[in-house]
Amino acid sequence: MDRMDWRLVEELQADARLSYNELARRVHLSAPTVAERVRKLESSGVITGYRAHVDPAAVGLPVQAVVVMDCYGPRCLLRDPEVPSWPQIRQLFRITGDGCSVLVAAVPSMPDFESFIDRLARYGRPSSSMVLSQPLAWAPVAAPEGRGD
């Protein structure tokens, strides 16, 4: 990626709803050039999608937790193809170290969280930490120092 690709990515991360014309104005290129560069960033997998950021509490999911799962072998949660589609799971990571996976969950209430933990326990040992606040909800990917030239 060159410096212009990074500028385009930075602008789109700040506002993915920008038109090609507005994006072109901001980076000082023509709209067709910007459109072609964005298409290349999409086809190469740099840009993987465009999403709205939604506050879980604002849509009735105020109870949030981070759960480390300790499960290995054939009963591992990561081997069940349906698990990533569970509505309580907002993010799922395969990890190294203690546990095999970490997930971020959001549910309407503590009884719902208890039911969720019971469901997870079928796969192994869940260890949870409740989210008190989120000082950083999301951060854009920035060009590594010395890159983007």
Side-chain angles (χ1 to χ4, degrees):
M1 285 186 38
D2 64 14
R3 183 174 308 218
M4 186 54 64
D5 287 338
W6 277 109
R7 291 206 46 218
L8 291 168
V9 167
E10 288 167 2
E11 291 290 342
L12 288 170
Q13 287 181 106
D15 184 357
R17 296 175 56 173
L18 291 174
S19 68
Y20 286 139
N21 286 335
E22 178 59 19
L23 188 53
R25 188 188 66 71
R26 291 183 184 197
V27 300
H28 308 293
L29 290 176
S30 70
T33 300
V34 163
E36 180 59 29
R37 279 181 170 261
V38 170
R39 277 192 289 277
K40 285 181 182 176
L41 290 166
E42 292 167 345
S43 67
S44 69
V46 172
I47 296 174
T48 60
Y50 301 88
R51 296 165 186 83
H53 292 273
V54 176
D55 178 359
V59 295
L61 302 170
V63 177
Q64 296 182 70
V66 176
V67 181
V68 176
M69 284 299 297
D70 189 9
C71 57
Y72 295 94
R75 288 188 31 182
C76 181
L77 152 115
L78 296 172
R79 293 186 187 275
D80 185 336
E82 293 185 22
V83 169
S85 68
W86 290 4
Q88 302 90 345
I89 299 175
R90 297 192 53 231
Q91 293 180 291
L92 178 60
F93 303 92
R94 183 177 182 190
I95 62 167
T96 62
D98 295 334
C100 68
S101 59
V102 172
L103 56 92
V104 178
V107 294
S109 67
M110 285 306 290
D112 291 307
F113 183 68
E114 186 175 1
S115 295
F116 178 64
I117 288 295
D118 289 345
R119 188 175 182 191
L120 286 174
R122 294 181 217 150
Y123 295 93
R125 187 180 60 83
S127 175
S128 61
S129 297
M130 303 311 295
V131 173
L132 299 176
S133 67
Q134 194 173 12
L136 177 63
W138 176 85
V141 175
E145 209 167 300
R147 289 280 188 84
D149 297 6

